Amino acid sequence: MFRQGLWAEGRDPPRSVAWMVSIFSPGLSPKCIHINKSLRYSDGMFFAALSFAYFSKELSGSYMKSTITQLERRFDIPSYLIGIIDGSFEIGNLLVISFVSYFGAKLHRPKIIAVGCILMSLGTFLIAMPHFTCGRYNMKTSIRSSENATSHLSPCPVNSSSSNNNDRLSLLPSAGCEQESSVSLWMYVLLGNVLRGIGETPVQPLGISYIDDYAQSENAALYIGCVQTIAVIGPAFGFLLGSLCTKIYVDIGFVDTETVTITPEDGHWVGAWWLGYLIAGTITLMSAVPFWFLPKSLPVHVDKHDNQTRRANIINTFYLFYTEFVPTLKSLLRNPVYIIYLCVTIIQFNSLIGMVTYKPKYIEQHYGQSASKANFLMGMINIPAVAFGMFSGAVVMKKYKLGVLGATKFAFGTSLLGYFLSLLFLAMSCENSKVAGITVSYAGYEWSLFSDCNSDCLCSSREWDLVCGENGITYVSPCLAGCTSSTGSGKNMMFDNCRCVEVTNGLPVNLTATLGQCLPRDSCDRVFPYFLAVSVFSSFIISLGGTPGFMLLVRCIKPELKSLALGIYTLATRTLAGIPAPIYFGAIIDSTCLKWGYNTCGEKDVCRIYNTSAFRTVYLGLTLGLRAVSFLLCIWGFALLKRHIKREEEKFLTNGKGELEFLRQEESGSDCEQSMLASDCSPDRETHL
C-alpha cells in the first residue's frame, strides 16, 4: 500500500536506479527511491521556472512604476492619468482571472503559464512602441543656446505692453494644437499594460496551486516563501534598471547630448524609458521556455495522494462551469475567515500599491532627489529589505512549524509593529523649495510671477525653464528672473544682469543665475538619511509576516477550492485595489500641485511643482489611514478564527480521542505524516474553516 501511494502512475523505476537501492536503504523499495528522486527533481524544475516567471513579471511591473515621472513628461499627462495606465494592468487580469483560475486547474497548468509569459512579453514590447512612432522628444523651453561660448543672447524680449496682456496671448492655442491633441500615443502604453495583465493572470493561481499540490507538505510553505522572495527581488532589478535608463537621454543616438541644455535633475528631462521595456520584454519571453517542457502533473506524495486521486476523477469539460462553478463559488464565499482575509488584504493592498507607485515621486518632490537616484534607492535599499523579510518569514514558519493560528498571530504582530515605525515618517518633513512667485514672493508682489524687476521683459507665466539665482532662490525662467543677457552654451549657459535676484535678496550679490533648480534644502539633507533608515527597517518588519499571512489563505480553504480561492483573491485585490489605488492616489497628489504645465492647446498637462508639505500630508495620511482601518478587521477575523478552531475542537472531542489528538497536533504545527491515521491527514480536515 505504501508503494502504491508513492508511485501514483504505477511504472517501475529505470534499471539504472535499481542497483542503488541497497546502498541508500537496503529495506526500501527501488520504486520508493526513484519517486523520491523524481519528486525532488520535478519540484525543483517547476520551482525554478516559476521563480524566473515571478522575477520577470515583477521586474517589468516595477520598471513601469519607475518610469512614472518619465511618462508624465514624455506624454504631458497628469498623475491621475498615469494611475489609470498603471491600473490597466489589473484590468487585463480582471478580464480572464476567473476563467483561468477555474479551468486552468483542470488543464495543462505549466503550458498555460507559458502562454501567459509570452503575452506579457508582447505587452511589454507594445508599451515601448510609441518611442519609435511619435518622433523625437520636443522639449518645451524658451531657452535658445548660443552657437559658441562667447556670443550673447537676451532671454528678455522687449515688452511693448503690459505683462498681463502679453501673458494672456500665450493662452491662445497654437497652430499645432489640433494635430497634437489628435495623437494620444500614451494609449499604446495603456493597451500594452492591459496585455501584460492578461498574460500575468495564470502565473500566481496556477503556479502556487501546482506547488502546493505536488510538493511535500513540509516544503510547500518554504517553496512558496522562496517564490515570493524571488518575486520581491524582481522589483529591485526593475528599479535599478529604471535608475540606469533614466540617466540616459530619451533620444540617445539621435541627439548630441552635449547640446542638451538640461540634466537628469531638471524637470524637463526625459530618460530612455523605452529601453528598459525592451529589456524587460526579452527577459519575460525567456521565462516562458521552461514551462513547455514540464509535465501536466507530477507523481503525488503519500500525504496528498488520496486528495489528488479524487481530483483526477473530475471530468474535464466546459459544461461543468454551469453545474459546478456556481455551487463551488457559494461554498467558498460562505467561509467567513476567507471573506475577512479578503477584506483585510484589499484595504492593505490599496495602501501598499498607492504607496509603492508614488514613492519614487515622493522622494523626488519632497526630498529634492533626481528620478534616477530615487529609483536606485528603491532598488538597492528598500526592495532587498522586503525580500529578506519575506524569506525570513518563510524560514520562521518552517522552523517553528507554525499552524494556522500561529501564522495569523505572527503576521498581525509584524504588520502592527511596522505600522508604528511608519508613523515616524510624519515627523520627517522638509520645507517647500524656494521658487520666486510660487512658494516665496517677489518684494511687494505676493504670490505673483510678475514684478517690477521683470516688467520690462515680455515674459510668459507658461514657461518653465528653472534657473538658480546667486541668492539661492529658484526662478521659473530667466525672463521672470529679469535676466537681460546670457553667455555659454548647453549645460554651461550662464545668465547675467538678473535684476530680480538683487530685489529678492536685498543684499549685494552677483546678479547671475545658472540653469536648473537650486540644490535641495539643508533640512532635507539632514532628514533624508533617517527617512531611508526607517523605510528599510519598517519594510523588513512588515514583510516578515508576508509568507505566514499568505499561507493562511492557502490553508483555510478546501483542496478542491484552492485554485478558485487564489483566483478570486487575485481578482478581488486587483479589481478593488490594483485598479483604483493608483488613480485616486494620483488624483489626490494632483490636488497639491502649485504650478501646472500647458500644452499647445492651452490645456493643463503635467504638474511642474507641488506643495511638498501638502504632498506629504495626503500621501502619508492616506497610506497610514488605510492600514489603520485594516487592523480593525484583523481583530474581528482573529476572533472568528479562534471561535472556529474551538468549535472544531469540540466537534472532534465528541467524535473520539483520536481525532482530538490529530487536531492538537495540527494546531502545534506538526506534519500530517506524524498523525496516527494517514486518511485523517487530508487538507480538508486540516484547514477547512
Side-chain angles (χ1 to χ4, degrees), residues 486-524:
S486 66
T487 58
S489 60
K491 302 181 181 69
N492 299 319
M493 185 178 293
M494 179 77 69
F495 300 94
D496 304 310
N497 300 321
C498 303
R499 297 186 296 269
C500 295
V501 174
E502 181 183 27
V503 172
T504 305
N505 191 53
L507 296 175
V509 295
N510 294 326
L511 305 182
T512 60
T514 56
L515 280 173
Q517 190 171 353
C518 294
L519 295 177
R521 293 80 70 197
D522 292 337
S523 60
C524 290

Side-chain angles (χ1 to χ4, degrees), residues 589-610:
I589 289 173
D590 281 341
S591 68
T592 66
C593 183
L594 293 175
K595 171 69 174 175
W596 287 95
Y598 292 86
N599 58 24
T600 56
C601 296
E603 300 171 343
K604 290 193 302 184
D605 44 38
V606 62
C607 182
R608 300 301 185 185
I609 186 172
Y610 293 89

Side-chain angles (χ1 to χ4, degrees), residues 475-609:
Y475 296 86
V476 171
S477 69
C479 183
L480 290 171
C483 304
T484 59
S485 64
S486 66
T487 58
S489 60
K491 302 181 181 69
N492 299 319
M493 185 178 293
M494 179 77 69
F495 300 94
D496 304 310
N497 300 321
C498 303
R499 297 186 296 269
C500 295
V501 174
E502 181 183 27
V503 172
T504 305
N505 191 53
L507 296 175
V509 295
N510 294 326
L511 305 182
T512 60
T514 56
L515 280 173
Q517 190 171 353
C518 294
L519 295 177
R521 293 80 70 197
D522 292 337
S523 60
C524 290
D525 292 337
R526 291 192 299 268
V527 78
F528 187 59
Y530 296 102
F531 169 82
L532 291 179
V534 174
S535 178
V536 169
F537 192 53
S538 62
S539 297
F540 170 76
I541 295 298
I542 294 173
S543 61
L544 276 174
T547 300
F550 189 79
M551 290 307 298
L552 171 63
L553 169 64
V554 176
R555 298 301 185 191
C556 76
I557 301 300
K558 292 180 179 180
E560 62 269 19
L561 302 179
K562 196 177 302 178
S563 291
L564 180 61
L566 288 169
I568 296 298
Y569 162 82
T570 306
L571 170 66
T573 53
R574 296 194 185 284
T575 305
L576 302 178
I579 295 176
I583 298 175
Y584 68 75
F585 263 81
I588 292 176
I589 289 173
D590 281 341
S591 68
T592 66
C593 183
L594 293 175
K595 171 69 174 175
W596 287 95
Y598 292 86
N599 58 24
T600 56
C601 296
E603 300 171 343
K604 290 193 302 184
D605 44 38
V606 62
C607 182
R608 300 301 185 185
I609 186 172

Side-chain angles (χ1 to χ4, degrees), residues 100-165:
V100 169
S101 299
Y102 184 73
F103 291 108
K106 304 174 183 296
L107 303 174
H108 198 301
R109 283 181 279 185
K111 288 188 177 180
I112 294 177
I113 295 175
V115 173
C117 292
I118 294 175
L119 291 177
M120 278 195 293
S121 67
L122 294 177
T124 307
F125 292 140
L126 181 60
I127 293 175
M129 192 182 72
H131 172 75
F132 303 97
T133 60
C134 66
R136 298 177 187 176
Y137 173 49
N138 182 22
M139 183 177 62
K140 298 174 182 177
T141 177
S142 60
I143 297 176
R144 295 295 177 264
S145 178
S146 59
E147 296 295 331
N148 55 68
T150 61
S151 61
H152 299 264
L153 295 177
S154 175
C156 177
V158 178
N159 187 5
S160 59
S161 60
S162 67
S163 299
N164 291 335
N165 289 337

Side-chain angles (χ1 to χ4, degrees), residues 193-344:
N193 215 27
V194 170
L195 188 57
R196 279 188 58 244
I198 294 175
E200 193 266 352
T201 303
V203 176
Q204 178 173 327
L206 301 188
I208 296 298
S209 63
Y210 194 92
I211 286 180
D212 195 63
D213 285 345
Y214 297 113
Q216 293 181 0
S217 297
E218 60 183 10
N219 293 330
L222 183 61
Y223 279 165
I224 294 175
C226 290
V227 168
Q228 291 181 328
T229 301
I230 294 174
V232 176
I233 296 176
F237 283 87
F239 280 108
L240 289 177
L241 181 62
S243 175
L244 175 63
C245 294
T246 303
K247 290 182 179 179
I248 305 173
Y249 190 65
V250 60
D251 292 320
I252 184 70
F254 297 95
V255 175
D256 184 6
T257 55
E258 294 298 326
T259 63
V260 178
T261 60
I262 57 176
T263 63
E265 289 76 22
D266 192 277
H268 286 297
W269 179 271
V270 175
W273 59 274
W274 53 272
L275 181 60
Y277 287 109
L278 296 181
I279 296 174
T282 302
I283 295 175
T284 306
L285 185 62
M286 293 170 57
S287 69
V289 175
F291 290 103
W292 292 106
F293 303 99
L294 289 169
K296 179 180 179 180
S297 60
L298 298 176
V300 185
H301 289 279
V302 65
D303 62 336
K304 298 184 177 181
H305 175 63
D306 293 338
N307 176 59
Q308 292 296 326
T309 302
R310 181 174 66 250
R311 188 179 303 178
N313 292 329
I314 299 176
I315 301 175
N316 186 20
T317 54
F318 287 97
Y319 76 86
L320 288 177
F321 178 84
Y322 301 101
T323 60
E324 288 189 0
F325 180 74
V326 175
T328 301
L329 183 61
K330 288 182 179 180
S331 175
L332 179 64
L333 297 181
R334 288 172 181 168
N335 187 331
V337 176
Y338 178 72
I339 297 301
I340 293 295
Y341 183 92
L342 272 185
C343 294
V344 171

